[in-house]
Amino acid sequence: MIRSHRSSAVSLELSPTLARAIRRKLLRWYDDHKRDLPWRSRSTDAYAQWVAEVMLQQTQVDTVIPYYERFLKRFPTVETLAAASLDDVLTLWQGLGYYRRAVNLHRGAGYVVRIGGMPRSSTCLQEIPGIGRYTAGAIASIAYGERVAAVDGNVARVLSRLFYIDSPVSDRDTQKRLWTTADHLRPRQRCGDFNQAWMDLGSAICTPNAPRCDLCPLIRECVGFQAGVAASLPVKTAKKTVPETHHVVAVVKSRGAYLITKRPTGGLWGGLWEFPNRSCPVESGAKTVLNSLLDCLGFDGATQPRRAGVLSHRLTHRLMHFETFVIQPSRRNGVGLDGDYSWAKTIELNERALSTASRKIFALANKLTHTQS
DNA sequence: AATGCGGGGAC
DNA sequence: GTCCCAGCATT
């Protein structure tokens, strides 16, 4: 019975014979179809693998590649990264998202240099901030040849189909089972290649939608395919509706430079620069909130704000609306503008770490300026 | 166990 | 529009 098969222990559904067949077929397929990716040309460089794996967290390969090339060119070694300023690291990271990754990478580089080099095992790698079980397994198996599993979204999808695992993939028990299954499948040799083979298979064949089962090297072993349910796996839990928030933004321009401020590290866009702004519960109250913001910045009512429009920006977990105003005061009479504030000309702005939302706000403000001038 | 954390590619 | 992506840290 299918059901009893599915609910049986891994050791029962994964016989040594089956495990051997899966290893052999997947590695053979990988030898013929592996992608040519930048980090694969330096697979023994644990630092290079670390950078790649962190960038690839929740981020697609094609998005990462140009960032990776720039990053490794600028910071070719962990020592060069440790010696850099966080601002410079974030500038290279801008647009890639999840900026805590860059902060942790920079912090981690300092840690690695202090302890005299990259940790040499999957377990020790997890002492580095931003490296969890998956990333540690990937780095250790690829760079060191350690025999350790690495279950990411790709592997979870392939394994859930291969073994018809239909409990919600985010559940703890499901995750535990996936890792246990991956542990059983680890080959004694080429574990790094094996881990990457899952990912290439998940990218090219065992895709989230409309998997190409006809091309899959594991079609004969795939219980999900045999049952005709491969495309509906893994089972994901419904997502909740994202909250909507409104904000007012002051793009203050004086003598060709713009007033920007640095966000505190930790939260959304932590450590990045942006134009002064405030949350605004109701859109209709924008003018009041703007005046309050300008007061705090030290720009009084003598400067006439001009409304540039509303910029909407969608994140995975939030929909944000920025009602944008341009202010051109006659004097830079701002008060309390400490180290977290700065004036930056357009060309300097391009070298600062700004969020994509801030870039879009800047474009909107510039459109107004050029239209009216 | 649930939530916060970006942005873009694919459909 | 929707879904999802080489996850991790925090609570």
Side-chain angles (χ1 to χ4, degrees):
Chain A
M1 273 174 64
I2 297 288
R3 176 152 296 282
S4 63
H5 179 73
R6 271 191 283 147
S7 57
S8 63
V10 169
S11 56
L12 292 181
E13 71 185 2
L14 189 49
S15 69
T17 305
L18 176 57
R20 268 197 302 274
I22 291 173
R23 290 183 200 113
R24 175 173 49 80
K25 291 182 177 182
L26 187 56
L27 278 170
R28 168 70 62 87
W29 178 87
Y30 184 67
D31 288 337
D32 293 338
H33 298 93
K34 68 181 283 189
R35 289 173 289 181
D36 185 19
L37 300 171
W39 41 91
R40 288 185 174 166
S41 62
R42 40 200 313 175
S43 60
T44 60
D45 182 346
Y47 164 72
Q49 295 307 311
W50 176 24
V51 173
E53 290 300 337
V54 171
M55 283 188 173
L56 286 162
Q57 289 168 3
Q58 295 294 288
T59 310
Q60 295 179 358
V61 166
D62 288 342
T63 303
V64 164
I65 288 176
Y67 283 90
Y68 180 80
E69 303 275 25
R70 281 196 299 270
F71 199 95
L72 264 289
K73 188 174 180 181
R74 177 73 181 278
F75 306 120
T77 65
V78 67
E79 288 82 11
T80 55
L81 177 58
S85 71
L86 177 59
D87 266 354
D88 284 347
V89 176
L90 284 172
T91 295
L92 281 192
W93 205 276
Q94 64 172 312
L96 197 54
Y98 288 146
Y99 298 95
R100 179 77 66 88
R101 295 184 294 177
V103 176
N104 283 336
L105 196 58
H106 183 243
R107 266 181 58 206
Y111 167 76
V112 167
V113 168
R114 279 198 304 281
I115 66 174
M118 290 290 288
R120 307 297 295 182
S121 74
S122 172
T123 302
C124 294
L125 281 167
Q126 293 186 56
E127 298 299 316
I128 296 175
I131 295 187
R133 189 176 178 185
Y134 161 75
T135 304
I139 297 171
S141 64
I142 295 168
Y144 304 146
E146 184 177 329
R147 187 168 176 259
V148 58
V151 177
D152 70 332
N154 280 303
V155 179
R157 184 173 61 252
V158 177
L159 291 181
S160 69
R161 289 169 175 172
L162 195 51
F163 298 107
Y164 197 164
I165 297 171
D166 61 354
S167 55
V169 68
S170 58
D171 282 4
R172 258 192 160 63
D173 290 345
T174 309
Q175 283 293 313
K176 187 175 178 183
R177 180 175 173 194
L178 289 168
W179 277 94
T180 303
T181 305
D183 280 342
H184 279 85
L185 286 169
R186 285 172 304 167
R188 301 210 172 269
Q189 305 292 332
R190 301 184 63 192
C191 194
D193 282 349
F194 189 70
N195 287 337
Q196 293 179 91
W198 289 121
M199 302 177 201
D200 281 19
L201 188 73
S203 166
I205 307 289
C206 199
T207 52
N209 309 303
R212 303 296 307 275
C213 298
D214 52 326
L215 300 177
C216 183
L218 302 177
I219 187 168
R220 291 181 61 82
E221 289 74 20
C222 187
V223 182
F225 172 79
Q226 304 298 337
V229 297
S232 66
L233 297 173
V235 173
K236 307 244 176 180
T237 52
K239 60 181 188 330
K240 12 180 289 185
T241 59
V242 303
E244 207 165 332
T245 57
H246 297 267
H247 313 260
V248 294
V249 187
V251 178
V252 182
K253 184 179 187 182
S254 173
R255 304 209 299 264
Y258 298 86
L259 181 63
I260 55 176
T261 179
K262 187 193 279 195
R263 294 179 65 93
T265 54
L268 182 67
W269 296 317
L272 273 63
W273 293 84
E274 67 180 6
F275 303 102
N277 66 88
R278 278 201 176 167
S279 77
C280 175
V282 287
E283 240 175 326
S284 55
K287 207 72 176 185
T288 306
V289 176
L290 174 68
N291 286 332
S292 168
L293 172 59
L294 292 177
D295 277 349
C296 287
L297 293 172
F299 300 106
D300 56 26
T303 63
Q304 272 306 319
R306 291 182 296 158
R307 187 176 180 281
V310 177
L311 186 285
S312 296
H313 189 71
R314 181 178 294 280
L315 307 177
T316 301
H317 59 295
R318 196 179 306 182
L319 176 57
M320 308 177 78
H321 304 282
F322 297 93
E323 187 157 5
T324 303
F325 295 87
V326 176
I327 295 95
Q328 295 183 284
S330 50
R331 298 177 296 126
R332 289 186 185 180
N333 57 344
V335 297
L337 302 187
D338 54 16
D340 287 339
Y341 284 87
S342 176
W343 291 95
K345 296 180 184 299
T346 298
I347 191 164
E348 297 164 337
L349 224 43
N350 291 333
E351 295 163 12
R352 299 277 189 149
L354 263 63
S355 69
T356 298
S358 296
R359 296 264 170 225
K360 287 153 75 175
I361 289 168
F362 184 54
L364 181 63
N366 269 331
K367 191 157 54 173
L368 172 72
T369 304
H370 294 148
T371 300
Q372 297 202 347
S373 61

